[in-house]
Amino acid sequence: MKIGIFGGTFDPVHNGHIGLAEDCVEQAGLDEVIMIPAYIQPFKQDRHTASGEDRFQMLALVASQNDRITVSRNELDNEGVSYTYLTMRRIQEMNPEARLYFICGTDSFLKVDTWMNAEELLEKYSFIVGCDRPGYRHDELEEAISRIRDHFGTEIIVVHNRQFDVSSTEVRDRIAAGKSVEGLIPEAVERYIKEHGLYRI
């Protein structure tokens, strides 16, 4: 069993997130991708987000439409800062026979050495790195992958995921300005945002 772990703020989840999850299933041969909304992200502790429950419910809407995507309350229920190594430990304990793959983008992977307990992560788990822009930081990424493989023996898979010109910040800003977000987020997520009055000024 190969399980992808995809953590993030998901404030809100958008089509770029979903595309990366789906492309990881297809290109890396994953059986499942678990999307996990952060309680507090280590690098975003100073930012206000929609409630954990709202972010979880929006992800649940996405999961209901894709049989390879699930959503977990792991970090929300444990509260505190959502350190990746703690999340991976808990997921591994619940799935002792599974091989876990942490999913992240190029920018995040290039900083993996700075993460809390990075050595544990790189020695015990595999990584999938999404590259949605051809050639983006290619040389840096290749150097980092080579160095980490040599030092830790980490399995690292590069996925060339579909390009979506969208960010959660853009979605929030467009909603606050009363602009359309058609094509940026799933319709079910857009309905949820409207019904719950999220991201309005």
Side-chain angles (χ1 to χ4, degrees), residues 58-185:
M58 287 186 280
L59 283 168
L61 291 170
V62 171
S64 71
Q65 298 174 354
N66 192 311
D67 60 5
R68 293 290 185 90
I69 295 177
T70 59
V71 57
S72 168
R73 303 183 63 93
N74 195 289
E75 294 187 356
L76 297 178
D77 290 346
N78 282 278
E79 301 187 345
V81 178
S82 302
Y83 289 113
T84 299
Y85 79 95
L86 292 174
T87 301
M88 297 296 277
R89 281 182 188 175
R90 292 190 295 262
I91 298 294
Q92 189 73 80
E93 287 171 3
M94 291 185 286
N95 301 272
E97 302 302 317
R99 185 164 189 81
L100 301 187
Y101 293 76
F102 188 77
I103 298 169
C104 61
T106 297
D107 289 337
S108 293
F109 184 78
L110 289 173
K111 298 175 184 174
V112 70
D113 304 66
T114 69
W115 297 4
M116 183 73 75
N117 282 13
E119 186 171 325
E120 175 182 336
L121 286 167
L122 294 167
E123 288 180 346
K124 290 188 174 182
Y125 310 107
S126 301
F127 279 74
I128 298 175
V129 183
C131 296
D132 63 353
R133 284 170 281 180
Y136 177 69
R137 303 186 76 171
H138 177 268
D139 292 342
E140 287 179 82
L141 181 59
E142 286 297 310
E143 187 280 327
I145 288 173
S146 178
R147 173 173 48 82
I148 288 168
R149 280 178 177 158
D150 289 346
H151 191 76
F152 297 100
T154 314
E155 180 187 7
I156 303 167
I157 299 173
V158 176
V159 165
H160 297 281
N161 51 303
R162 287 166 285 171
Q163 297 181 59
F164 290 90
D165 187 16
V166 56
S167 69
S168 293
T169 299
E170 180 188 3
V171 173
R172 293 194 304 272
D173 289 347
R174 292 184 71 85
I175 291 170
K179 296 180 180 179
S180 170
V181 289
E182 183 179 357
L184 303 181
I185 59 177

